[in-house]
Structures are given as structure tokens and as C-alpha cells.
Amino acid sequence: MLHSPRRFPLFVTLRLFFILLFGSMVLFASWAHSATEPMEPLPVTLPARHPPVAPGGGYVGAQRCAECHATEYRHWQDSQHAKAMQPATEQTVLGDFNDASFTYAGITSTFFRRDGKFMVRTDGPDGSLQDYEIAYTFGVYPLQQYLIGFPDGRYQVLGIAWDSRPKEQGGQRWFHLYPDQNLTYQDPLHWTGLQQNWNYMCAECHSTNLRKNYDPQLKRFNTTWSEINVSCEACHGPGADHLAWAKKEGDWQKLDRTKGLTIALDDRRGLHFQLRVLAMQGLNLAAKALSPSVLQAAKPATGGVPSTTSPTAHRELELCARCHSRRGQFWEDYVFGKPLLDTHRLALLTPDLYYADGQMKDEVFNHGSFLQSRMQAKGVSCSDCHEPHSGRLRAPGNQVCLQCHLAAKYDSPRHHFHPAGSPSADCVACHAPTTTYMIVDPRHDHSFRIPRPDLTVKLGVPNACTRCHGDKPAEWAVEQVQKWYGKPLPGHQQFAEALHAGALDAPGAQELLRALLRNPDQPNIARASGAVLLGERLDPAGFEALR
């Protein structure tokens, strides 16, 4: 039977383009296991002037920022951003290098010291044991990884990591990040393989002004940065113009309007935040005069402060998403303040990464989850909850949520039905449950959803109730929710059935997906995921709904 030729929609063409692009990267990376690669370890010598500096660009360094912004600098110094990547020294290395050993997949690796350097004897690109010098530490808590250099400018991330948690929490030990896979040197997930390459996979988000600098002719990297860690200018952009404005040097008057800043991260400043704090204080005072039954009967919208910021204010959110998202970089020349999608492709709610209701499944780094939330739809952004320089929460425990949500209504056993002050009474226990990645790193789901055990029964997705009550079936949780709340609201995210049906190409899937596309109240990331599932069945009406 003959088939007439078909024109592919634009998104199909783009997907084919990215597949071809990734394929070419795999071909380039095949040199990592080629027969001609030098098998001797690279004697990694840190440069005399450390770190290497990418030429130009207006980057001045954190020390210059500290001259005026001492408080912010002090907060940053103790942050995970400041320790994202560091030269391996006595002060930075947390792991046990006192002839400690660890066995994995039949290979016993030994961690030791030689001439003041941190070393590991482990299986190299050909599977034989070799001695390697640790060049850099990578991360700090709850685990620390280690980078090893190769003659072609590659740095590879060792698959054995150090658990930096306290010993009483199971830490202070070596462990493997893929404990059940028994990886050998022939696997791309082996520490010498493509998927553990620092330059290509990791570097952009652990250093400032990172340039990969891959030379396809020489088949080598010459990766550079202006600062080895995630420093001030990683978020604020190059500071030379701001420094000139502050010191009134050169043509500083021309910079007066912007103060020489590359990007103005002022979405959350000033009157908006002050109004929110004052409003919550007033509401909590008024709530004391109301009976508990009145509070619990109030509509959800009365339990928190209306948004005091425009939902279109998203500079900060997009900036953080550059690294705190599951995405692929297709253009290296990132411009501060420009849309993330100009240079990066954000992962959608695909079945390999997310459950059908949008809960995180694989490691997705928060942004794709947060885009699904009612909070993001109302204009909440990262620094409303996280102090951006220290990275810590703005307030401990439930207090960070009670910046916006009425304590008398929500921080009460009449709402959460758990003993006050217990871990189960924490807001995040029900609305942002954790999934553990990298063996030891529990991360909160930032979609901030209402627990839906009924969807567990219907679609097989997880729910917060039986995550804790693992000995109970989902049907038990459904009964408890009905007992406590009657018929609870379905929550902000109402796309689970459409994405579930679309992934299975089930009967009625097209109608559900088209309805999702036409619903502007649903998160755009879910609507875009629905458009992809529709594929070639995406009709003109569907395109119009996406405008």
C-alpha cells in the first residue's frame, strides 16, 4: 500500500534536530573509549594562577563585590553555591583518603595520599587499575564528588562519592551512585564515560562564566571560567559596569539608569514584600476573633494573602531555572535577562521524568515542578522562600509558609490532622514530599500540590499520605481524606488524566488533551506536554489554544 508524503509539524522537526545533535555529541564522545586514547593518568597540575580566567566579558570577581556588599558576601561564603566546585585541598576534601578502600562491580578502589595530593587507585578507561590525582571537589553536602583530569582536557566525575552526612545519619562513608548497576568501563555511565563528563554535563552550573571550549579538530576541551564556584556574577552577570558606576569611573553617568547592572533582580524588593508581611500580620490578628469553625469553612482563597506581585515578573525565576531545571543547552552564549528558552530546552512532563499528575519521578531539579504550582501562577518566586545569597530558607519549618498562609487556619490540627509540632504536621510533609536522589539526597517536590490518593487508585501515581503510611493502601488514604475534608478541592493541577491517557494513547485521549490545551488556567508546561502527546493530531484549533 502506498502512502502519500506528509509534512511534519515544526515541533517534530525540532525533535529530530535535537536527536541528530545529540547523536553527533555521542560520536564526538566516542574518543573517550578509543583504542588510541592515552591510558596513563594525567598528572593534574593546578595552574600557577588559579582559577583560569576566560578572557574579557567584564567579570570582576566576588572580592570586588564584597567591597560594598559585605553582608551578602558573608552569607554567600557559607553557601553551597560557594562550595559548588573547589580545588582539592586539606580544607575542601571531606572524604577519607587514609588508605580507605571500596569495592564495586568486582573492582576494589583505594583512596590514599601521595606527596600531599589526594589520590585514588581505580579502574580507568580500559578497565585496568590506575592511580589518579583528585583535581577538584564537586559539591559539599549531603555528598561530595571528585573530579579527575585527562590529557584531552576532559574532567570526569568519579562514580564513588563521599557521604558527608553525620555518621549517626548513615554518613561518613564511601558509596557508589549506581549501586545496583555493576557498571564496567564499557558503560557510558562509568566514570570515564560520556555521561560522567564534567565539561559537557555539569560544568555550566558549578562555576561562573564557564566556557566549554571544545575543539572538534583537536578533539579536546580547553574549558575556562572566571571563578571556580557559583559566585556573585553567576547570577548578577558581569560586574565591570556596575563597579564603574559605583566608583564613578569612566562614562559612569551613562550607566545611571541601570546602575551598570546586567540584570535587575528587583522583582521581590520594596513595597510588594512589605505589604505582604503587613497583610499577614493583620490577618492573623483578625483571625483570633474568629471561631475555628468559621476559619475552616472559609474558602481557600481567604487563607492567604493575594498576590502582590505581577505574575509576569519572572526574571528571577528564569535565572534560577538556568541551573535548577532539567534542561539541555543548545546555545552557549547565554544572555542575562533574556528568556531561558533562547539558549536551553526545558524538559516537559514526559513519563520518564514525571508521573502523569506532574509529581517528579526522575531528577528534575525543581523548576519544571514549580511551574505547575498555584504559587508560581500567583507570582511567587524563589527568593520569597529562599534567601538567595545563603540559599537557606527565610524562616524555619512552617514559618516560611506562614509568610503568606494564615497560621490560624493552616498551622492547626484542624487542617492537617496530625499532632502539632510533629514532622507529619510540617506543611512540606503533605504538600512537598521528598524523593531521594543520588542515594542520600532527599529533595522536595516544588509543585506544592494537594495530596490526591484518589489519583493513586485511578492512575497509579504516588501520594503524600501513603509515602509516610507505607503499610496502608491508597484506598485507606482516600477514606481518611473524605472523612476529614468531605469532598476536597481537586487542587490547581488538573491535567493528570489527560497526560496519562495521552501517554498510553488510550481511548478518548485526544479529546482530553485538546481540552487541556484549551484551558488557560492549567500550567503552560502541562499544556505544552499535552501538545507533544497529540503529535501530528494537533489540529489548528489546538494551535490556536496555545497562542
Side-chain angles (χ1 to χ4, degrees):
M1 180 177 178
L2 296 177
H3 295 272
S4 59
R6 295 178 297 179
R7 297 180 62 186
F8 288 95
L10 177 60
F11 78 91
V12 175
T13 305
L14 288 174
R15 292 182 74 182
L16 290 172
F17 167 76
F18 286 120
I19 291 170
L20 291 172
L21 179 62
F22 181 77
S24 66
M25 291 178 178
V26 172
L27 288 175
F28 288 148
S30 64
W31 302 311
H33 298 290
S34 67
T36 60
E37 174 166 312
M39 293 304 176
E40 73 276 6
L42 171 67
V44 178
T45 302
L46 298 181
R49 185 181 185 281
H50 191 81
V53 178
Y59 287 83
V60 298
Q63 292 294 337
R64 301 304 304 274
C65 303
E67 294 171 7
C68 295
H69 302 285
T71 300
E72 290 81 1
Y73 180 79
R74 186 173 63 253
H75 288 164
W76 168 81
Q77 274 188 308
D78 196 39
S79 71
Q80 294 220 16
H81 280 166
K83 301 171 183 177
M85 181 172 167
Q86 303 175 96
T89 67
E90 292 286 347
Q91 291 72 38
T92 62
V93 172
L94 303 178
D96 180 4
F97 281 80
N98 296 314
D99 295 319
S101 61
F102 179 84
T103 300
Y104 172 84
I107 301 292
T108 297
S109 300
T110 305
F111 298 86
F112 62 101
R113 304 184 188 214
R114 176 189 295 162
D115 300 328
K117 299 175 181 178
F118 295 89
M119 307 291 295
V120 60
R121 182 175 299 117
T122 193
D123 55 329
D126 64 348
S128 65
L129 289 177
Q130 301 178 48
D131 292 350
Y132 294 95
E133 180 189 348
I134 302 298
Y136 301 105
T137 65
F138 208 55
V140 61
Y141 188 87
L143 69 155
Q144 186 175 72
Q145 295 178 267
Y146 299 95
L147 299 183
I148 293 170
F150 281 82
D152 56 4
R154 282 182 300 126
Y155 283 89
Q156 298 291 132
V157 186
L158 195 64
I160 305 170
W162 179 254
D163 185 342
S164 53
R165 299 174 301 166
K167 192 169 185 177
E168 56 269 23
Q169 296 180 18
Q172 302 303 298
R173 64 186 176 103
W174 291 107
F175 71 100
H176 202 281
L177 290 164
Y178 302 94
D180 302 321
Q181 298 191 34
N182 291 321
L183 303 176
T184 70
Y185 69 96
Q186 297 171 316
D187 195 295
L189 280 174
H190 185 263
W191 77 270
T192 59
L194 167 67
Q195 295 185 36
Q196 303 301 328
N197 173 247
W198 166 81
N199 316 69
Y200 162 58
M201 295 289 294
C202 320
E204 181 192 7
C205 288
H206 282 255
S207 298
T208 301
N209 188 26
L210 193 287
R211 308 297 295 184
K212 295 183 179 72
N213 293 332
Y214 180 72
D215 188 329
Q217 298 299 320
L218 297 177
K219 301 179 182 179
R220 62 177 295 112
F221 285 98
N222 182 31
T223 303
T224 63
W225 57 78
S226 58
E227 290 181 277
I228 193 173
N229 50 16
V230 180
S231 191
C232 312
E233 292 164 297
C235 300
H236 293 280
D241 283 348
H242 180 60
L243 192 63
W245 173 84
K247 293 182 174 294
K248 294 181 169 54
E249 296 175 347
D251 293 331
W252 66 273
Q253 294 94 336
K254 295 180 179 178
L255 305 171
D256 229 11
R257 185 178 62 84
T258 63
K259 300 181 180 180
L261 294 168
T262 306
I263 178 174
L265 296 174
D266 55 1
D267 294 356
R268 334 304 300 158
R269 283 187 183 175
L271 188 61
H272 297 313
F273 188 81
Q274 294 166 9
L275 280 176
R276 186 180 65 189
V277 173
L278 289 172
M280 282 313 303
Q281 291 174 349
L283 282 172
N284 276 304
L285 285 173
K288 293 180 180 179
L290 300 176
S291 69
S293 60
V294 171
L295 281 173
Q296 296 308 310
K299 293 181 180 180
T302 65
V305 177
S307 172
T308 54
T309 57
S310 167
T312 60
H314 59 272
R315 287 193 301 273
E316 176 187 277
L317 186 64
E318 290 242 317
L319 178 72
C320 298
R322 182 184 175 193
C323 288
H324 293 275
S325 66
R326 183 72 174 254
R327 84 291 182 278
Q329 185 185 23
F330 58 82
W331 191 257
E332 193 170 26
D333 295 328
Y334 175 80
V335 178
F336 288 90
K338 295 296 183 181
L340 178 69
L341 296 181
D342 284 0
T343 52
H344 297 73
R345 180 178 181 269
L346 181 66
L348 297 178
L349 308 184
T350 54
D352 56 326
L353 302 180
Y354 296 88
Y355 293 99
D357 64 344
Q359 292 185 75
M360 60 185 186
K361 181 189 294 185
D362 202 6
E363 198 170 12
V364 292
F365 308 106
N366 298 338
H367 181 67
S369 299
F370 189 63
L371 289 180
Q372 305 170 43
S373 70
R374 182 187 294 273
M375 295 165 67
Q376 189 274 331
K378 294 294 184 180
V380 175
S381 191
C382 310
S383 66
D384 287 310
C385 301
H386 301 273
E387 200 289 317
H389 300 98
S390 68
R392 295 186 175 93
L393 289 175
R394 287 197 176 273
N398 286 353
Q399 294 302 313
V400 73
C401 304
L402 300 179
Q403 293 180 107
C404 294
H405 297 279
L406 192 62
K409 179 175 174 64
Y410 292 110
D411 196 17
S412 164
R414 290 184 296 272
H415 171 69
H416 52 65
F417 295 93
H418 290 83
S422 69
S424 300
D426 288 346
C427 305
V428 295
C430 294
H431 300 293
T434 60
T435 300
T436 298
Y437 300 102
M438 303 185 82
I439 311 302
V440 298
D441 192 2
R443 302 180 194 169
H444 290 283
D445 190 315
H446 279 58
S447 56
F448 300 107
R449 62 186 62 246
I450 292 174
R452 292 285 306 273
D454 58 306
L455 289 181
T456 305
V457 175
K458 191 170 187 178
L459 306 178
V461 299
N463 72 84
C465 306
T466 54
R467 281 177 184 262
C468 288
H469 300 277
D471 59 332
K472 304 287 188 182
E475 289 80 1
W476 166 85
V478 172
E479 293 177 4
Q480 290 297 118
V481 168
Q482 290 175 342
K483 175 183 175 182
W484 291 338
Y485 305 106
K487 186 178 181 181
L489 295 173
H492 179 62
Q493 303 92 351
Q494 299 179 33
F495 50 79
E497 292 188 45
L499 295 188
H500 182 264
L504 298 177
D505 200 16
Q510 294 183 41
E511 290 73 18
L512 288 170
L513 291 170
R514 290 191 181 105
L516 172 59
L517 264 61
R518 290 192 297 268
N519 188 348
D521 294 330
Q522 285 304 286
N524 286 337
I525 189 171
R527 298 168 71 201
S529 303
V532 170
L533 286 173
L534 273 174
E536 293 184 354
R537 295 163 299 199
L538 184 59
D539 56 17
F543 276 115
E544 187 62 32
L546 289 174
R547 291 184 185 276

